[in-house]
Amino acid sequence: MKKTIALLLAILMLGLGTAAAQAAPYQVGICQLVAHPALDLATQGFMDALTAELGEENVQFNLQNAAGDSATCATIMNTFVNDEVDLIMANATPALLAAYSATADIPILGTSITEYGVALGLDDFEGTVGGNVSGTSDLAPLDQQAAMIKELFPEAKKVGLLYCSAEPNSIYQVETVKGYLEEMGYECEFYAFADSNDVYAVTQVAADNSDVIYLPTDNTVAANTEIIYNVLIPAGVPAVAGEEGICSGCGVATLSISYYDLGVMTGKMAAQVLKGEADISTMPIAYVENFTPKYNVEICQELNVTVPENYLPIEN
């Protein structure tokens, strides 16, 4: 009888232990490259959506900001791996690259990534990364962004493409847009800075030699919009931006997505992975379908730029 009771107690304790383990909240590590409006919104959307899907008591976030430094991204990811988090959210390309290098086991979801094949150096990328990586893309239709330049500045002749040479997705964007613009008859020139230290000088050269500037979705640009604004506005040179956050800082117009909605989409994907409803290795990269032409009221007034009626004002 004593043996039977002991066995029943052992089974009961095992069951309680298993139930406790199942009730433990999911641990989710978030690495955001740098603080700027677009990435901030994506992170908030991700957290809101995942909390809504799982319940506030069932998920714990470890949110880390790398302050724009790729080496810090790597340190953060190694900490997440050592802590054995259940899922990693990598916000921006350097964060994704760091996660990709740090683990092949923990599920990784990227967001605010323009083109995954380019970012990860995948020659055979056809929409699904495979392995332990998936996520969402912030890629806007680049042909339509180029057409926006034609619509707003038909008399312009020279377009300067201003970007950070350390960001592969920025290179992809400016090369693609350059092709579209040259088909429209524009003369295009690349103006690349290596990091934040070069932004002022390179922007000045671009402003001196361009009628219009194109700014891709670029994290270094996003972190330095005040510097770019202080060069372009006195020079009277307008900029069309790849996303709303950059446009709100130094551009006249953009065709952009909602980064909060992008984060929400990523959070819902995370919930599917954590609940076992989806296999991340077969999860295709998700793309936002709705794009809105918007304009910066203040800068348009400063540069005397008139936009079509279908453009919505950016709400700062």
Side-chain angles (χ1 to χ4, degrees):
M1 178 65 72
K2 290 181 179 179
K3 290 183 179 180
T4 302
I5 292 172
L7 179 61
L8 290 172
L9 287 172
I11 293 172
L12 177 62
M13 293 301 293
L14 179 62
L16 290 173
T18 302
Q22 290 174 341
Y26 292 106
Q27 302 296 318
V28 176
I30 301 174
C31 178
Q32 181 174 318
L33 174 64
V34 68
H36 69 67
L39 299 189
D40 293 346
L41 286 169
T43 293
Q44 191 61 56
F46 173 82
M47 295 173 68
D48 289 350
L50 190 52
T51 299
E53 291 284 335
L54 299 180
E56 188 173 355
E57 71 281 2
N58 294 323
V59 59
Q60 290 183 349
F61 297 105
N62 183 354
L63 173 57
Q64 299 292 323
N65 192 303
D69 185 63
S70 297
T72 303
C73 287
T75 301
I76 291 169
M77 293 305 177
N78 287 332
T79 300
F80 289 163
V81 172
N82 291 334
D83 291 344
E84 298 182 346
V85 299
D86 297 299
L87 183 139
I88 292 171
M89 195 276 265
N91 194 347
T93 299
L96 177 67
L97 290 171
Y100 190 63
S101 298
T103 178
D105 301 313
I106 298 173
I108 299 166
L109 287 173
T111 195
S112 311
I113 314 294
T114 304
E115 221 290 334
Y116 281 75
V118 172
L120 298 175
L122 306 175
D123 294 331
D124 57 350
F125 177 71
E126 294 183 354
T128 302
V129 175
N132 63 323
V133 178
S134 188
T136 56
S137 169
D138 61 0
L139 181 63
L142 299 177
D143 57 338
Q144 294 181 39
Q145 289 186 350
M148 177 175 280
I149 294 176
K150 182 70 171 178
E151 179 179 45
L152 296 176
F153 308 105
E155 304 301 321
K157 299 185 184 304
K158 296 182 179 180
V159 178
L161 301 115
L162 183 65
Y163 66 102
C164 179
S165 59
E167 298 191 31
N169 279 312
S170 298
I171 297 171
Y172 169 78
Q173 290 172 81
V174 294
E175 288 180 344
T176 303
V177 169
K178 180 175 182 284
Y180 290 129
L181 290 172
E182 288 179 340
E183 289 177 0
M184 297 175 188
Y186 288 102
E187 180 183 338
C188 299
E189 187 68 40
F190 293 130
Y191 295 96
F193 41 80
D195 53 38
S196 295
N197 296 321
D198 300 332
V199 170
Y200 180 86
V202 175
T203 303
Q204 188 65 66
V205 175
D208 291 342
N209 294 278
S210 307
D211 301 316
V212 183
I213 297 292
Y214 173 74
L215 300 168
T217 301
D218 180 298
N219 292 297
T220 308
V221 169
N224 290 277
T225 56
E226 184 176 357
I227 292 174
I228 296 171
Y229 171 91
N230 288 333
V231 174
L232 296 185
I233 303 309
V237 178
V240 170
E243 60 94 5
E244 184 175 328
I246 293 173
C247 190
S248 67
C250 61
V252 295
T254 184
L255 184 68
S256 184
I257 64 169
S258 163
Y259 275 80
Y260 182 83
D261 290 348
L262 189 73
V264 167
M265 183 184 296
T266 316
K268 290 180 177 179
M269 293 172 71
Q272 289 181 305
V273 171
L274 290 172
K275 291 190 291 186
E277 297 174 355
D279 180 355
I280 196 167
S281 69
T282 60
M283 214 176 213
I285 301 303
Y287 296 82
V288 175
E289 297 181 356
N290 298 318
F291 303 92
T292 305
K294 293 189 175 184
Y295 71 104
N296 185 317
V297 176
E298 181 179 337
I299 294 180
C300 282
Q301 289 175 346
E302 289 182 276
L303 298 180
N304 196 29
V305 174
T306 302
V307 300
E309 292 183 358
N310 64 311
Y311 282 54
L312 298 179
I314 294 173
E315 297 179 1
N316 293 319

